[in-house]
Amino acid sequence: MKCICIIFICISFNTFAYSQNFEISLRTGFGSFQMRDLKEIQDEVLEQTKITISDLKKTSSFPVYSVFGISSGISMTDYSISAIFNYESTGSRIAYNDYSGSYYFDQIAKNFILGGNFKKYSKHRIPLNNYFFKPFFNFNSGISLSHITFIDKLTIGDEQLIEKLELREVSSFVEPGFGLSLFISKIKIEPNLSIHIPTYRSGLFLEGNFDVKFEDEDGPIHASWFGVRMGLNITFIF
């Protein structure tokens, strides 16, 4: 991680000497997340627990959820290069609640992304009053650090039984996409659409011990963040 950060800093400083503009971008949006293995775990827990709690229901299963990020880098007339940090999260729940107590099984998924972004702008401008649009092609690549928490909570009257399991995964990814940039003086407003594609995945492992893998009969279990990302970047140009 330290090595990657140093590389990004060196690239930023070396390139800045030849750049025209320095940029800082804030990102917000939404993402869809495949989470195939974790959905299978949720279904298995649901079926097994229904033997004793027949009215147990699936109330959430890794829905579309918010994505946030920040990036900084340099831009020239037709392209920009930047370092990015994004945060995304989602989760699932099965639940039962009545007068005697409650039962919940939660999976909380968080993803921290560190990478680089390359953006190529079209030479074609689309005028809009005193402003103009530019289509662009977008490409992100880097590493993601996944934090997955399983919480099993049973409440009967005043008594509670809580079990928690903390898992981690390291993966790499590519994320091609496209968008449209609206230039307003020293600000760019950029709606964009991309697809997040994991390339390498370590498999889930116990927090603090990479050698203790979380597996089933088919092999390693993954937190798959594969899916569509739809966002809006607001970029400040200096």
Side-chain angles (χ1 to χ4, degrees), residues 80-144:
S80 67
I81 301 173
S82 59
I84 61 172
F85 175 77
N86 290 341
Y87 169 77
E88 49 195 23
S89 63
T90 185
S92 74
R93 165 170 284 193
I94 55 177
Y96 174 75
N97 191 5
D98 67 10
Y99 68 91
S100 63
S102 62
Y103 173 76
Y104 298 97
F105 176 73
D106 294 335
Q107 297 180 93
I108 302 170
K110 301 176 182 179
N111 198 29
F112 301 87
I113 292 174
L114 180 65
N117 167 267
F118 174 77
K119 193 176 294 178
K120 178 68 173 68
Y121 292 94
S122 169
K123 296 182 181 296
H124 178 66
R125 294 186 177 192
I126 305 173
L128 177 68
N129 296 328
N130 296 325
Y131 312 112
F132 64 91
F133 286 100
K134 268 190 175 184
F136 63 82
F137 166 77
N138 191 61
F139 186 83
N140 295 339
S141 183
I143 63 170
S144 64

Side-chain angles (χ1 to χ4, degrees), residues 38 108-110 146-150 165-168 204 223:
L38 298 186
I108 302 170
K110 301 176 182 179
S146 300
H147 291 199
I148 310 298
T149 305
F150 292 175
L165 179 64
E166 300 280 356
L167 301 169
R168 302 290 183 262
L204 288 169

Side-chain angles (χ1 to χ4, degrees), residues 180-217:
L180 202 60
S181 184
L182 172 62
F183 290 76
I184 305 175
S185 184
K186 292 294 185 178
I187 296 176
K188 291 189 292 186
I189 299 174
E190 298 181 328
N192 54 84
L193 185 69
S194 59
I195 182 167
H196 183 98
I197 305 171
T199 50
Y200 161 81
R201 297 180 294 180
S202 68
L204 288 169
F205 58 89
L206 191 65
E207 181 183 30
N209 194 336
F210 185 82
D211 294 327
V212 181
K213 294 294 181 67
F214 193 56
E215 300 180 340
D216 60 15
E217 63 275 9

Side-chain angles (χ1 to χ4, degrees), residues 10-22 74-77 79 81:
C10 290
I11 291 174
S12 297
F13 277 107
N14 288 338
T15 314
F16 183 75
Y18 302 96
S19 69
Q20 295 181 356
N21 297 298
F22 177 70
I74 59 96
S75 67
M76 294 187 181
T77 304
Y79 70 88
I81 301 173

